[in-house]
């Protein structure tokens, strides 16, 4: 999770849902940071979905911070040839 991504999240109005895109290899670390960072504390996985676009797949994680009242959507693009991403169930049991 880069400082730029954190600033994007923190600068959004609470009613907005900022979107950050991460590489599949960085997903688990990014999700841990989103949950554990005191400024963020995204402790609730609201929705986990997959989208099949013509060129690629996309996995979307909609998160909510109960402490800060903020939302964020985390997106991961995956190729049709290798549609694999690490599970985030170690971060959020609802995954």
């Amino acid at each position: 999770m880069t400082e730029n991504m954190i600033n994007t999240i923190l600068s959004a109005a609470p009613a907005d849902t900022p979107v950050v895109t991460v590489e599949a290899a960085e997903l688990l670390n990014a999700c841990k940071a989103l949950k554990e960072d005191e400024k963020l504390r995204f402790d609730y996985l609201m929705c986990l979905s997959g989208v099949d676009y013509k060129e690629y797949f996309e996995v979307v994680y909609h998160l909510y911070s109960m402490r800060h009242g903020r939302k964020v959507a985390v997106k991961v693009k995956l190729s049709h040839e290798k549609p694999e991403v690490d599970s985030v169930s170690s971060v959020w049991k609802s995954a």
Side-chain angles (χ1 to χ4, degrees):
M1 180 75 24
T2 66
E3 274 303 309
N4 190 33
M5 288 180 184
I6 292 172
N7 290 335
T8 297
I9 295 166
L10 294 177
S11 65
D16 291 342
T17 303
V19 176
V20 295
T21 302
V22 299
E23 297 294 324
E26 295 300 318
L27 176 67
L28 194 54
N29 287 333
C31 288
K32 286 178 184 176
L34 286 165
K35 184 176 183 183
E36 295 170 1
D37 187 304
E38 285 297 322
K39 296 179 287 189
L40 303 173
R41 289 307 239 183
F42 287 99
D43 50 355
Y44 180 55
L45 174 62
M46 297 187 311
C47 180
L48 169 59
S49 58
V51 183
D52 184 358
Y53 292 104
K54 188 174 185 176
E55 302 82 22
Y56 58 90
F57 290 115
E58 190 170 70
V59 181
V60 185
Y61 305 82
H62 290 270
L63 310 176
Y64 184 74
S65 170
M66 290 191 215
R67 178 177 292 171
H68 301 297
R70 293 191 171 276
K71 298 179 277 186
V72 67
V74 178
K75 295 184 175 187
V76 180
K77 290 183 179 180
L78 304 169
S79 70
H80 283 129
E81 293 75 36
K82 190 175 181 203
E84 299 173 9
V85 66
D86 290 333
S87 172
V88 297
S89 63
S90 63
V91 181
W92 299 286
K93 298 295 182 203
S94 59

